[in-house]
Amino acid sequence: MASSSVDLVFEGFDTTDELGDVRAEVPEGLPDIENDELIKGVLTKGVDLRQYSRQIEQELNDLEDEQLASYEEHESALFELDSEIKSCDEVLENMERLLVNFKSSLGAINNDIQSLQNDSLSMSVKLKNRVVAEKQLDKIIQGVVVPPDAVRLICNGEVNERYLECLIEVNKRIAYMRVHSKQHKRLKAFQEIQPELDRLCFRASSKLREFLLEKINVLRSLNSNAHVLQSSIFLKYRFFNHFLIERHPEAAVEVRDSYIHIMRQYYLDHFETYQRGLMKLERAVADKADVIGMEESNKLSLFSAAKPVVRDKANVFNLGARASSALIESEDSGPRAIVLSIASDANEKYTFEALFRSYSLALVDNATTEYEFIMQFFVSPKARQRITGSDMARMVFSHIFDPSMRVGEQFLKAYLETTYDALGVLLCVRIMSQLASELQRRQVPVLDSYVNSMNMLLWPRFQAILDGHIESAKRLASYKAKSKIDTQPPAIVRRYAELASSLLRLNQGYNTHVVALSLARLRTEVQAYLTHVADGSSDKHASLVFLINSYDLLLTVLYENGFSEREEEVSSWKQEFATTVMAFAESELEKHFGYLKLFVVDAERQSDIAQISADELGRTASVFNGEWRAQISAINSSIIQSFSNFRTGTEILHVVLGQLIIYYTRFHSLYDKRIARRAASASEICQPVGVQTVMVDIKKYRNNF
């Protein structure tokens, strides 16, 4: 024990000084004395270390005995605890084995999960690939596989709406094969299906060719209505022809040529029949003698009865209601075309322009319908979007309608060879202009050549007819004029006025240079004729009255037709009228107040007012004072007798009396200036009547007409 190992007492020594030696003697490995508070406190207090050591040792022994006693007291409990601990160790060992097994099971499960996950990812990729493949295969299958029922129907079935539906589906397969043949050329399905589709296409083309040719042959009958068949059959099954155009061009050409041949004759027969019927309804309007310069007496045949040729004709020179019944744009134009059966039963007759309008309308309406049908039936949707489609339609239309258009040209030529009706020809020109506008509105460009050829026929004949009118006026002007003139307007004046008004009406909105130029030439010749007649008369007064009446009639007709002085035709004749009226006024004043006019003109030529003879001035005033009322009355009577037109007579009387006032005012001015220098002898010269007095008296004649 420790109590026997050390038994030393350090008495009489300073323990504080020996701390270092004690620390030095402490073996290594013991706690640091210097840092141990218990030892440090003992050394500091100067306790005897040996005694203290024995005390500590005793305490330890007591504590050991106490612990042993306690152990002996709790021995059974400790054994029991030891047993329990061993039992727990066994349980823990079992738990350890279970956990190790569970861990190994979890590892296996983890491996299984990873394997399943890898399998799932692989299956997902395979599924996606399969879906993509199925979609592509489904598209390919849908694009190349033809249902068996459709194959049987196309090969052996009747051509009807069901056949059309199946053919559309087959055509989709064929189109798909053509588009994707290069892309899928390695596919065995493509290689196997292509020959079968070709045979099916050939079989369908054969049946469609027979079907379409059979339906086209129905059009051979004149009693058939082509337009009804076109809309009810051909347009309904137009896909058949489009299929032939794309899949079997030779059969499509055969169908097209057959249609062209039959419809060409169909339209030709109908238009020839219609043209012959229209010719029976024509009413003659003008012949070679119907020119403005032909006298009525010359229009009678040497052996004919004494009745004018024009008795049963429409007015040759007056347009009247011809425009409203012929022009297409008129609201009162009536039906679109003349119905022959109705017109024949009613025994109606028409001018040529109405017949020409009816034929042209029938041609345009049928051409429009036919062109639209050709564009839909003979031009495939793909070609319709290209220029070639329009060219094809023009070619087919031209082959069909050229004979019918030639019938129209011959119809017009036959009329133009014998007609002398300028208004009828110009109406035909306007009809063609309106038809051209209508065709442009309908977007039908296939009748341009027809319109141009008709205009090429119409314009030269119109010019030739007007040249005939001009030559007739020239012939009249070349005849020797009569010395005794009839003051009433000749027949040529009214004819010209009505013809000019009619031509102007038909030229409104067109302003055609040919019409304006021809009318100007005709106006020049008529003016030359009137001047020739007036100059040939020995009676100047009658000549002036003749010209005024002629101009007045011309202007009256022009005004009645709604033309104003803005028109060159009206302004030209208005200027001639005003000039002639002024000449007539001077002539009347020369006749009734010649002395006054002569005195004023001579006096105003004098450079000095003093050179005017006062005696002559007085005599002139004296004569005027004595007869001015009677002379004015004579002028009024002369004008009343010469002019029956109230408006014209009033206008001319105002001009004559106005000129009289002007001359008399100038006379008064000369009188006042001359007499002012001789104030002393003014009373010796006759005092003229005041100007106001004359004007007051003139006002009485304003309402004489």
Side-chain angles (χ1 to χ4, degrees), residues 630-650:
Q631 294 298 333
I632 290 177
S633 178
I635 291 174
N636 180 60
S637 299
S638 174
I639 292 176
I640 290 176
Q641 294 174 4
S642 301
F643 307 103
S644 58
N645 189 312
F646 172 81
R647 179 185 57 78
T648 304
T650 302

Side-chain angles (χ1 to χ4, degrees), residues 43 47 73 95 181 228 236 271 277 314 382 447 477 522 538 558 618:
L43 293 177
V47 178
E73 183 181 356
M95 288 293 296
S181 59
V228 173
K236 180 179 179 180
F271 277 109
K382 294 180 179 179
L447 287 181
L522 189 58
S538 56
L558 290 171

Side-chain angles (χ1 to χ4, degrees), residues 72 75 103 137 177 199 278 294 311 318 338 359 455-457 507 514 534 544 576 681 687:
E72 290 176 354
E75 181 180 6
K103 180 179 179 181
L137 289 174
M177 290 286 293
R199 284 192 288 272
L278 290 177
M294 182 62 67
R311 170 178 294 182
N318 187 8
I338 296 173
Y359 183 90
N455 285 328
M456 292 293 291
L457 295 173
N507 203 36
V514 175
L544 292 173
E576 294 291 340
S681 57
Q687 182 73 22

Side-chain angles (χ1 to χ4, degrees), residues 253-496:
V253 170
E254 183 181 357
V255 171
R256 184 190 68 199
D257 292 344
S258 177
Y259 178 84
I260 290 174
H261 175 73
I262 293 176
M263 290 303 294
R264 178 188 182 97
Q265 192 63 40
Y266 174 87
Y267 281 116
L268 179 60
D269 293 340
H270 278 80
F271 277 109
E272 284 182 342
T273 302
Y274 190 60
Q275 181 257 340
R276 288 193 295 269
L278 290 177
M279 291 181 66
K280 297 177 182 179
L281 303 177
E282 183 179 1
R283 180 178 68 234
V285 174
D287 54 28
K288 190 174 182 179
D290 290 312
V291 290
I292 63 171
M294 182 62 67
E295 296 294 335
E296 288 292 334
S297 59
N298 294 335
K299 295 168 68 176
L300 299 177
S301 172
L302 180 62
F303 301 102
S304 65
K307 73 176 182 179
V309 179
V310 295
R311 170 178 294 182
D312 296 329
K313 297 181 181 180
N315 195 306
V316 179
F317 307 104
N318 187 8
L319 186 61
R322 293 175 68 180
S324 61
S325 62
L327 296 183
I328 299 172
E329 295 177 347
S330 172
E331 294 180 358
D332 302 325
S333 58
R336 294 287 295 173
I338 296 173
V339 181
L340 294 180
S341 58
I342 297 176
S344 299
D345 294 341
N347 198 25
E348 294 181 353
K349 297 294 182 181
Y350 300 88
T351 55
F352 178 80
E353 65 269 10
L355 304 178
F356 181 71
R357 167 190 178 275
S358 184
Y359 183 90
S360 299
L361 280 176
L363 182 67
V364 167
D365 289 343
N366 281 275
T368 301
T369 303
E370 188 64 27
Y371 178 74
E372 292 175 350
F373 170 77
I374 291 171
M375 285 294 294
Q376 295 182 59
F377 189 77
F378 288 103
V379 181
S380 63
K382 294 180 179 179
R384 203 175 302 156
Q385 300 174 359
R386 302 190 299 267
I387 299 177
T388 54
S390 178
D391 293 340
M392 172 62 70
R394 287 172 181 266
M395 184 272 291
V396 175
F397 179 88
S398 177
H399 285 309
I400 294 174
F401 260 84
D402 276 351
S404 300
M405 290 190 285
R406 284 195 292 271
V407 171
E409 292 177 5
Q410 293 301 323
F411 184 35
L412 181 62
K413 282 181 180 179
Y415 165 73
L416 295 178
E417 289 174 356
T418 59
T419 188
Y420 292 89
D421 181 16
L423 298 182
V425 175
L426 188 56
L427 278 169
C428 292
V429 172
R430 298 308 178 220
I431 289 171
M432 295 311 301
S433 298
Q434 293 174 356
L435 284 178
S437 300
E438 179 66 14
L439 289 169
Q440 186 176 7
R441 185 187 67 81
R442 297 182 185 183
Q443 297 182 349
V444 179
V446 290
L447 287 181
D448 294 345
S449 60
Y450 174 75
V451 173
N452 293 333
S453 63
M454 300 303 260
N455 285 328
M456 292 293 291
L457 295 173
L458 288 166
W459 278 116
R461 186 56 187 167
F462 172 77
Q463 187 65 61
I465 295 173
L466 282 188
D467 288 343
H469 288 294
I470 294 171
E471 291 300 323
S472 68
K474 284 184 179 180
R475 285 195 300 270
L476 284 182
S478 65
Y479 298 155
K480 184 178 180 180
K482 299 178 181 179
S483 59
K484 187 177 181 181
I485 191 173
D486 184 2
T487 58
Q488 294 303 312
I492 187 176
V493 173
R494 176 166 286 279
R495 292 173 188 162
Y496 168 77

